[in-house]
Amino acid sequence: MTQIEITSDTLKAWGHIPGRDFGRLLEIAQAAEAAGIGHDQIRAKLDAMKPPPALTLQHAADVPLHFNIEASDDADEVKNLQDVRKTMEIVVRTPTVVSAAVMPDACPAGPEGTIPVGGVVATRNAIHPGMHSADICCSVMMTDLGEIDPKTVLDAAEKVTHFGPGGRRNGQRFTMSQALMDDFRANRFLSNPKILRMAVEHLGTQGDGNHFLFVGRSRNTGRTAMVTHHGSRGPGAVLYKLGMEVAERYRKRLSPETLKQNAWIPADTEDGQAYWDALQLIRKWTKANHNAIHQATVEFSGAQPKDRFWNEHNFVFKRDDLFYHGKGATPGWDDYAADATGLTLIPLNMAQPVLVVRGKDAGHSLGFSPHGAGRNFSRTEHRRRLGETTAQQALEAETKGLDVRFPAGGIDASELPSSYKNADNVVRQIGKFGLAEIVDYIDPYGCMMAGDVPPFWLEKKRKGRRR
């Protein structure tokens, strides 16, 4: 008996849905048919090539979710906690999520269902670009600079660092390691021409927003210390965008019900391995960025440096068979990375000390500790609440006796202490929930932040209008 020719209708009858791979499956079936293979064998072969059924959302109650945060009677704190709880209960419905936790500095950071600042999410076989955010490897580094005068350090740092949008001009750039550049070129994500250009231009820059350079004195030793805070700048932002595009392709196929911001790249795929490798290289670049600023400050100021260490708080960490996504949360176990020292940093605000802590690796925090003080309301709301008070008046009232500089723009009132959560409450909760042990305080002398500069995308839009 002559077999009926295999057509697209045949494949549909066998349960295959027209889509990206449908044409390829038809070619395979027709080639096998031409080779004399029977339809039963062909069908069995194609069945094995069917994509797995779409993953459905989990029930939030089925996923362990630990809250290491409490609200006082303050209405802002109560609303903040309600919003954080609501968004995290949506996040944990993502099919890959195994468990999650919230730190005392938590605050919403996007549409509902987006991981908040201060959120930690553990997943199985999944890397979620949206859960480490566009500011990949946002991190802090501290150098003990010895007995040098803090003002001398801050003056030197102002001359060598770079705040604001964009990178350094030609002739003022730091040198990127050729070995690291070669590794970038060998990675399918980082070989992007824009990333390669930015990796050179943005080295030695700190950006804007809440990124800072802080100088103070250790309570334990009395010595001067410098702390920098920034992420992977342009290279990381472009990597994030590319990662989200790949994750979205998987989301459409694996779990259309999952929110776009929670799309993932399966870690066991070639894409997943390449993206994981790209994250590790971006981490190296970010550490080099911190080191460049610290070393240049040392050389310009004449300081005699001692210990230096750093830690990231917007990143993905692998522990056993799970991937831990920290969005504004710091790993609290000693060997989370080969260069981990056991000590991490928690900045609070420009008028409060930077905490030097040793994490306690608590199970109820998934091993993490806070990354800072967080906010109870938005920057826009903070500006509204200032009312008739000028930025200058607020700065003088809130940072009396401190040397605060905004080298790239005017005073950014949205970065003043009053825009952040109460530092004492955050410190109290670190102790109450057993998240970390404070081993030193770096009391402030002064700091630098970019200042009130327009976002790069807004400036780009304005330039386009002027043309």
Side-chain angles (χ1 to χ4, degrees):
M1 183 176 176
T2 305
Q3 295 187 120
I4 299 173
E5 182 182 357
I6 294 177
T7 65
S8 59
D9 288 336
T10 311
L11 265 60
K12 292 175 187 177
W14 289 352
H16 294 276
I17 300 172
R20 181 179 174 186
D21 296 325
F22 193 77
R24 183 175 65 88
L25 292 178
L26 183 58
E27 289 178 1
I28 292 172
Q30 290 176 340
E33 183 182 46
I37 299 174
H39 281 194
D40 288 344
Q41 287 180 271
I42 296 172
R43 181 172 183 174
K45 180 178 180 179
L46 296 188
D47 281 347
M49 299 173 70
K50 283 182 179 178
L55 297 171
T56 58
L57 299 179
Q58 305 183 96
H59 295 290
D62 294 337
V63 182
L65 174 54
H66 309 278
F67 282 87
N68 301 280
I69 180 176
E70 61 184 11
S72 66
D73 293 334
D74 180 83
D76 291 322
E77 287 197 7
V78 171
K79 184 179 187 306
N80 177 76
L81 181 51
Q82 289 174 343
D83 291 345
V84 166
R85 183 180 298 276
K86 188 173 184 180
T87 200
M88 279 298 284
E89 287 176 349
I90 298 173
V91 170
V92 299
R93 298 194 66 195
T94 307
T96 59
V97 175
V98 174
S99 57
V102 175
M103 301 293 107
D105 53 341
C107 53
E112 282 188 1
T114 302
I115 183 174
V117 172
V120 182
V121 176
T123 65
R124 193 178 305 281
N125 191 37
I127 303 171
H128 295 253
M131 292 187 188
H132 59 53
S133 84
D135 197 10
I136 303 177
C137 204
C138 192
S139 46
V140 278
M141 177 178 282
M142 188 183 86
T143 298
D144 178 340
L145 296 173
E147 304 298 335
I148 191 169
D149 177 45
K151 183 179 186 303
T152 301
V153 173
L154 196 59
D155 288 343
E158 187 171 10
K159 290 181 171 64
V160 302
T161 193
H162 178 286
F163 279 100
R168 289 178 175 269
R169 296 177 180 175
N170 202 7
Q172 299 177 348
R173 292 173 184 163
F174 289 84
T175 302
M176 180 175 170
S177 157
Q178 187 58 53
L180 184 55
M181 178 60 83
D182 289 343
D183 287 341
F184 269 45
R185 289 195 178 102
N187 181 275
R188 70 166 72 168
F189 286 96
L190 299 179
S191 58
N192 177 283
K194 190 173 183 180
I195 289 180
L196 296 176
R197 173 177 58 78
M198 286 181 163
V200 174
E201 294 177 357
H202 286 205
L203 192 66
T205 71
Q206 295 193 246
D208 50 20
N210 66 351
H211 297 159
F212 64 76
L213 188 149
F214 174 103
V215 178
R217 288 188 186 275
S218 161
R219 286 189 195 176
N220 287 352
T221 66
R223 293 195 294 265
T224 296
M226 185 176 89
V227 178
T228 49
H229 172 226
H230 60 73
S232 50
R233 305 288 290 113
V238 178
L239 173 61
Y240 162 78
K241 181 180 179 181
L242 297 174
M244 287 298 291
E245 289 173 356
V246 172
E248 174 63 5
R249 293 201 292 269
Y250 281 103
R251 185 193 71 84
K252 288 179 178 178
R253 188 163 79 247
L254 299 178
S255 182
E257 291 184 345
T258 292
L259 295 175
K260 289 184 178 181
Q261 62 263 41
N262 295 328
W264 73 88
I265 306 174
D268 61 0
T269 63
E270 289 186 7
D271 288 326
Q273 186 57 59
Y275 192 73
W276 177 255
D277 291 343
L279 289 175
Q280 310 318 305
L281 293 172
I282 279 291
R283 183 182 189 273
K284 287 184 179 180
W285 185 94
T286 308
K287 184 179 182 180
N289 195 25
H290 281 287
N291 272 322
I293 296 166
H294 281 244
Q295 195 56 37
T297 302
V298 165
E299 293 173 7
F300 203 90
S301 67
Q304 299 297 313
K306 298 182 185 295
D307 294 337
R308 179 180 298 172
F309 67 94
W310 83 307
N311 64 269
E312 61 271 57
H313 48 244
N314 275 17
F315 206 60
V316 186
F317 309 88
K318 192 170 189 300
R319 195 177 195 190
D320 299 323
D321 63 341
L322 297 180
F323 291 89
Y324 289 81
H325 301 72
K327 169 71 181 296
T330 303
W333 62 94
D334 287 352
D335 58 349
Y336 75 86
D339 56 359
T341 64
L343 297 176
T344 56
L345 301 164
I346 304 178
L348 297 169
N349 65 57
M350 64 174 65
Q352 293 289 332
V354 171
L355 309 180
V356 181
V357 308
R358 189 178 300 281
K360 291 193 174 181
D361 193 10
H364 54 268
S365 68
L366 304 191
F368 284 72
S369 60
H371 88 304
R375 300 174 184 266
N376 280 324
F377 42 81
S378 69
R379 297 170 188 267
T380 302
E381 174 63 13
H382 178 262
R383 291 189 179 100
R384 187 191 69 78
R385 293 187 184 195
L386 284 177
E388 298 300 317
T389 303
T390 67
Q392 181 65 46
Q393 290 169 337
L395 175 68
E396 291 173 358
E398 297 184 38
T399 64
K400 188 175 181 179
L402 300 179
D403 186 347
V404 180
R405 309 177 188 183
F406 298 95
I411 297 168
D412 185 354
S414 70
E415 287 300 332
L416 296 180
S418 57
S419 68
Y420 285 88
K421 292 187 179 187
N422 182 282
D424 291 338
N425 284 345
V426 173
V427 173
R428 179 182 56 78
Q429 290 178 73
I430 290 172
K432 177 174 181 175
F433 292 105
L435 304 178
E437 173 193 3
I438 301 173
V439 299
D440 197 6
Y441 297 80
I442 309 301
D443 291 313
Y445 163 79
C447 70
M448 280 185 288
M449 304 185 82
D452 191 12
V453 294
F456 76 92
W457 55 266
L458 182 59
E459 189 63 21
K460 188 175 181 181
K461 191 173 182 180
R462 286 174 179 167
K463 287 181 180 177
R465 285 175 182 165
R466 286 198 291 268
R467 291 194 189 99

